Amino acid sequence: MGRTAAVYRRLQEQQSRAVENCLARFANSRILVVEDNSVVLTLITRFLNHYGLRQIRPARNGLEALEIAAEWLPDLIITDLYMPVMDGVEFCRSIRAGRALDDVPILVLTGIENHEERTAVFEAGATDLISKPVYHLELAGRLQVHLERSQLIRRLTEYKERIALELDQARTMQADMLPDRMLVSEVLETYPVDMASHYQPSIGLGGDLWGLRPLCPNRLFVYILDFSGHGVGAAINTFRFQAYYNSLRDIDTPGQVLNQLNSFLSGILPVGQFATMFCAIIDFECGELTYSSAGAPPALLRPEDGEAGFLPLDGTGFPLGITANADYEDKIQGFPPGSSLFLYSDALVETPDPPNSVFTYDSLAGFLNGPHAGKTCADRVASVLGKLSEGNVTTFEDDATIFCLTYLNREFGSDDR
C-alpha cells in the first residue's frame, strides 16, 4: 500500500507540474471568481495562484460580479450557482445578454446532479460545469481548455477585424479608380453628353472597372473592363491594370490600347486569368464612334433616329492576357447627335445563373427599346436595375457595371435623345 501511495503521489506531482507548465502562458489572463462562501473563494484563489495565475478578482454575488466584469473585461469567469442578491443562473443570462462578454468562458461550480437543472445552467449561458468539492487538477485542466479557446477566439476576432479594415481600405482604393465627381463634371461641361453609371462589386471587392479620358475638346475615350473571377484576386488585377493604363500617355485608337494592354497582361496574369474589355473613342466633331473589343459583352448602340432602337455592336475579340499574339482591330460606327451607347458587364445577363437569367443579350436590348426604359441615361440604368429587382435579385453573383452615354442633340434639346 505504501508503494502504491507513493506512486500515486508521484503521478499527481507530475500531472501538477504538467498543468503548471501549460498554464504558465496564461499568467496574465484575468479571472473573475464569483463565490459568496469565503472558504471556497480562498481555496479557489490559492489553486489559481499555485498554477501561476495572478490576475484574480473576487465577487460575492452576481450583481457585484456584473459591475466588475463590465469594467474589467475578464478572460474567464468562475461562478457559484447559489448566491444572494443575484444567483449564478441569472448572472450567466446577464453576461450573455451583453455583447462585450458574450464569448467569455463561464465555469459554473455546482453540486447538482439533476439533469434538468444542469441543462438549465447551460441554457442560461454556462460554458462548462465543475463539480463540488473542487478538485484542483480538474479545475486547472478546465482552465487550460477554456483559456486556450478564449485566446484563440480573441486572435481570430483580431484577425477578422484587421482583415475587415484592410478590405475597407482596398474598397476605398478601388472606388478611387472609378471616375470621380470632378472628372465626371469636367466631361459633362466639355462634351455635349448625358451620362449615368452603376458599379456594384459582388463581395465588396471586384474585378470590374469603367473609365473616361478626355483626349481633346472633340474626342472622348470610354471603356468598360471585367477581370475573370471576383473578390481579392480580381481586385488585385484591377490595380495592376490601372497602374499600366495610367502610364499610357497617348491614346491613338482603341485597338492600339487593347494591343498594349494585352501585351502587358499576358506577361503578368497567372494561367486561367484574363480580362474582357470594350473601349471606344467618340469623335463629336465627326459624329463617329471608333471602338474595339476584347471578348466583352456586345455593347448596345442606339442610332440618332431611334427607329431601329438599341443594336448590338460586334464584340468579338480575344480576351486580354491569354496570349500575347492576339491582335485587336478598330471598327467605326456613325455616332451623330442623338445617339446613345450602353455598356455593361456580363453580370447583367448572368443574374440569376442561366438559363434563368432576367436578361439575355437580345432581351436586354429589347428592354432598353421599350417605353418603360426611359429616355435619359439615368432612367435607363435605373430601369435595368429595377427589372432585376423584380426578379428578386438583391445581390449579384458577379461584379456588375453599367455605363450609359448619350450624345445630346443641342439643336433639338436634351429630351430628344
Side-chain angles (χ1 to χ4, degrees), residues 36-195:
D36 64 315
N37 187 311
S38 59
V39 175
V40 177
L41 180 60
T42 300
L43 181 64
I44 292 175
T45 302
R46 285 178 179 175
F47 284 162
L48 299 179
N49 290 158
H50 174 74
Y51 291 114
L53 301 167
R54 296 287 183 260
Q55 295 202 61
I56 303 166
R57 292 280 293 272
R60 298 290 181 176
N61 58 68
L63 187 59
E64 181 183 341
L66 280 179
E67 295 175 357
I68 295 174
E71 175 227 341
W72 197 46
L73 299 179
D75 297 300
L76 183 141
I77 298 171
I78 301 172
T79 181
D80 191 15
L81 263 187
Y82 303 110
M83 299 177 292
V85 185
M86 178 186 288
D87 64 19
V89 172
E90 186 60 32
F91 170 67
C92 288
R93 289 198 187 100
S94 299
I95 287 289
R96 297 309 185 209
R99 299 187 63 181
L101 295 170
D102 55 355
D103 285 328
V104 65
I106 303 177
L107 278 58
V108 174
L109 306 175
T110 179
I112 60 174
E113 297 296 336
N114 183 287
H115 292 297
E116 292 182 358
E117 291 185 25
R118 293 169 73 92
T119 300
V121 173
F122 282 113
E123 289 177 348
T127 308
D128 205 348
L129 299 180
I130 299 179
S131 299
K132 287 184 176 182
V134 178
Y135 177 50
H136 68 102
L137 284 178
E138 179 187 5
L139 174 62
R142 302 290 179 89
L143 285 172
Q144 179 185 340
V145 168
H146 293 295
L147 285 173
E148 285 179 345
R149 172 183 173 274
S150 181
Q151 190 176 82
L152 177 61
I153 290 174
R154 185 183 301 110
R155 288 176 178 173
L156 288 174
T157 300
E158 291 172 353
Y159 175 77
K160 182 179 178 181
E161 290 173 349
R162 185 171 69 252
I163 292 299
L165 177 61
E166 292 175 357
L167 287 175
D168 282 341
Q169 293 172 342
R171 275 191 288 269
T172 300
M173 293 173 61
Q174 191 171 43
D176 288 343
M177 290 192 292
L178 299 172
D180 58 21
R181 292 182 180 180
M182 185 176 297
L183 175 57
V184 171
S185 296
E186 177 188 343
V187 169
L188 292 174
E189 292 173 1
T190 305
Y191 304 97
V193 295
D194 173 35
M195 294 189 310

Side-chain angles (χ1 to χ4, degrees), residues 59 74 129 363-364:
L129 299 180
S363 68
L364 177 60

Side-chain angles (χ1 to χ4, degrees), residues 275-336:
T276 62
M277 184 173 179
F278 176 94
C279 57
I281 294 176
I282 303 172
D283 189 319
F284 296 97
E285 185 174 25
C286 297
E288 289 182 343
L289 178 83
T290 304
Y291 70 94
S292 189
S293 177
L300 299 175
L301 185 143
R302 183 176 185 269
E304 77 283 3
D305 55 25
E307 291 182 5
F310 278 95
L311 301 172
L313 297 177
D314 182 6
T316 57
F318 222 71
L320 302 173
I322 294 180
T323 173
N325 298 324
D327 187 46
Y328 301 92
E329 299 180 353
D330 292 309
K331 303 178 180 64
I332 299 177
Q333 182 77 32
F335 199 76

Side-chain angles (χ1 to χ4, degrees), residues 207-220:
D208 281 14
L209 282 178
W210 69 276
L212 305 164
R213 183 185 287 195
L215 302 180
C216 67
N218 295 317
R219 299 172 75 236
L220 175 68

